[in-house]
Amino acid sequence: MAVILLALGSRGDVQPMAVLAGELTRRGQAARVVATSDFAGLAAGCGADFVSIAADSREAVAMTHARFGRQLFSHPLGQAWLLRRWLALIAEPVADACLESIGPGDVVLSGILTRGVGLALAEARGARLVTVLHTGQVPTRYAESHFAFDHFRGRATYDLRGARLSWRIASGLGAPAAYLARAKLGLPRLAAGATAGAADAFPVIVAASPLVVPPAHDWPKNVVSTGYPTPRQESFAPDAELAAFLDAGPEPVYVGFGSLGASGAHDNLAPVIEAARLSGRRIVTPAVGGAAAGSIDRRVHVIDSVPHDWLLPRMAAVIHHGGAGTTWAGLLSGRPSVAVPFGVDQPYQAHRLHGLGVGPEPIPVQRLSGTSLARLIAQATSGSYDERAAEVGRVARAEDGTEATIAALTRWGYL
């Protein structure tokens, strides 16, 4: 019996699964991650075996640069359409990689996008399916526990129906690969929207901190909150130029917008440079728009790959896109944290950070400019959020999402 972790999506979808796979491997359990080919190095860095899907997640980002791509990506429905389109284009390699990797009786930990494929393998090969989420997607009446919180109206029946509809839509986004998998396995095609109901018979893990996704009282009994699987801390030594920049003045502010930044949220450094000038604060920011690592301005230093667990505690504040992984890294740092979200679950995480009191009110990416970013920097570094951020950081660092997730699998007899 092996544990197969299906991680289709961006880095935020793959990294926590790779962390789990690496830890299971260290404990002597056969485990491997199935993800697009561009994440092979990430999995290896976590000590996880890797099965490559013959596709690249960066192709999804490239779609936002096609005709009307930016316009579509600026709206939630357009984002869903682009994601479904990408999933349709890679359906066959996804189905093939999953069918080749999963044998009879294997445990399948699946993200939401491969839930239908996992269900097909549970039916045909007796695989034991577990859906793994990193944000609040389980249907509930409680807005604070659901990523579509801003669509809730305080009417229990209406809100729950809307959350259930969102669940069915999310569970069906990977339908093209699921259709192919079922055909290859000789299974009848499921009716549209039926994946969620059938897969709900299996356990669901909300692998997000209760600080970020408060467990809801009306979650089904087979839903468990375990916390975010955090990468192991590794020794890291910065290059001489970054070390010199950090030592040359007061703590800088981190400004970065994740692996989807090239989709339009943060594809050039002009607003960052302007914000540094207007705020008078030094900034560390990831390389985008073809920029090379190094100091490009006396107040702005560009980095390539620097571990968040090393970098963020050295910052005065953290400004980011609100992805699940970066949100958690920001909380762990104990520094004020605020998001500039641009879609999917990011507005929810941004809202939760403000609700926790660790940072100012977020602004949507559509309002991002040098001026608005400078204002956000000034608010985050005002000192108003330092004490609360440090307090939440201590609580966050006491969690162990990896251990709690493995414990849940063990209780269910899956390990």
Side-chain angles (χ1 to χ4, degrees), residues 98-251:
C98 292
L99 267 59
E100 291 168 8
S101 304
I102 300 168
D106 283 346
V107 173
V108 178
L109 305 186
S110 173
I112 196 78
L113 298 181
T114 46
R115 205 176 189 217
V117 177
L119 179 65
L121 285 155
E123 293 178 27
R125 295 181 182 171
R128 291 175 288 172
L129 176 64
V130 180
T131 302
V132 180
L133 308 172
H134 304 298
T135 191
Q137 286 181 279
V138 177
T140 176
R141 297 176 178 84
Y142 300 99
E144 288 303 303
S145 300
H146 199 275
F147 83 119
F149 71 99
D150 50 347
H151 293 287
F152 280 53
R153 296 294 178 265
R155 300 195 297 272
T157 301
Y158 172 89
D159 292 341
L160 185 57
R161 284 178 178 171
R164 286 173 173 164
L165 175 61
S166 170
W167 185 236
R168 289 196 296 272
I169 292 171
S171 295
L173 284 173
Y179 294 155
L180 283 173
R182 297 186 73 85
K184 291 172 184 280
L185 292 167
L187 296 172
R189 183 165 173 163
L190 281 181
T195 296
D200 284 351
F202 298 89
V204 175
I205 289 175
V206 181
S209 169
L211 289 166
V212 181
V213 183
H217 301 299
D218 58 350
W219 280 354
K221 294 187 183 301
N222 66 340
V223 177
V224 61
S225 171
T226 61
Y228 194 83
T230 305
R232 284 171 163 248
Q233 289 190 343
E234 304 289 345
S235 59
F236 175 78
D239 61 65
E241 196 169 356
L242 174 57
F245 182 81
L246 295 178
D247 290 340
E251 291 176 332

Side-chain angles (χ1 to χ4, degrees), residues 49-69:
D49 288 339
F50 185 76
V51 176
S52 178
I53 296 170
D56 191 314
S57 71
R58 290 167 293 194
E59 296 164 354
V61 174
M63 291 176 67
T64 67
H65 296 288
R67 191 178 184 189
F68 303 122

Side-chain angles (χ1 to χ4, degrees), residues 293-366:
S295 293
I296 60 169
D297 179 276
R298 66 187 181 88
R299 291 195 180 100
V300 178
H301 187 88
V302 175
I303 57 174
D304 282 328
S305 180
V306 178
H308 279 165
D309 59 10
W310 183 91
L311 181 66
L312 300 190
R314 291 169 166 80
M315 300 292 104
V318 182
I319 298 176
H320 53 95
H321 61 304
T326 310
T327 295
W328 182 234
L331 289 177
L332 287 173
S333 75
R335 298 307 173 100
S337 181
V338 59
V340 180
F342 55 92
V344 199
D345 59 334
Q346 296 164 13
Y348 172 66
Q349 272 95 233
H351 165 75
R352 290 295 303 144
L353 288 174
H354 183 54
L356 285 168
V358 301
E361 188 172 352
I363 62 170
V365 72
Q366 291 80 5

Side-chain angles (χ1 to χ4, degrees), residues 400-414:
D400 188 340
T402 304
E403 187 62 41
T405 301
I406 291 173
L409 295 171
T410 302
R411 284 197 306 274
W412 293 327
Y414 282 24

Side-chain angles (χ1 to χ4, degrees), residues 229-285:
T230 305
R232 284 171 163 248
Q233 289 190 343
E234 304 289 345
S235 59
F236 175 78
D239 61 65
E241 196 169 356
L242 174 57
F245 182 81
L246 295 178
D247 290 340
E251 291 176 332
V253 174
Y254 175 82
V255 177
F257 296 100
S259 59
L260 292 180
S263 62
H266 180 45
D267 57 3
N268 74 83
L269 293 175
V272 175
I273 295 170
E274 183 182 6
R277 178 181 61 81
L278 293 173
S279 67
R281 300 294 306 215
R282 303 188 316 139
I283 293 175
V284 172
T285 189

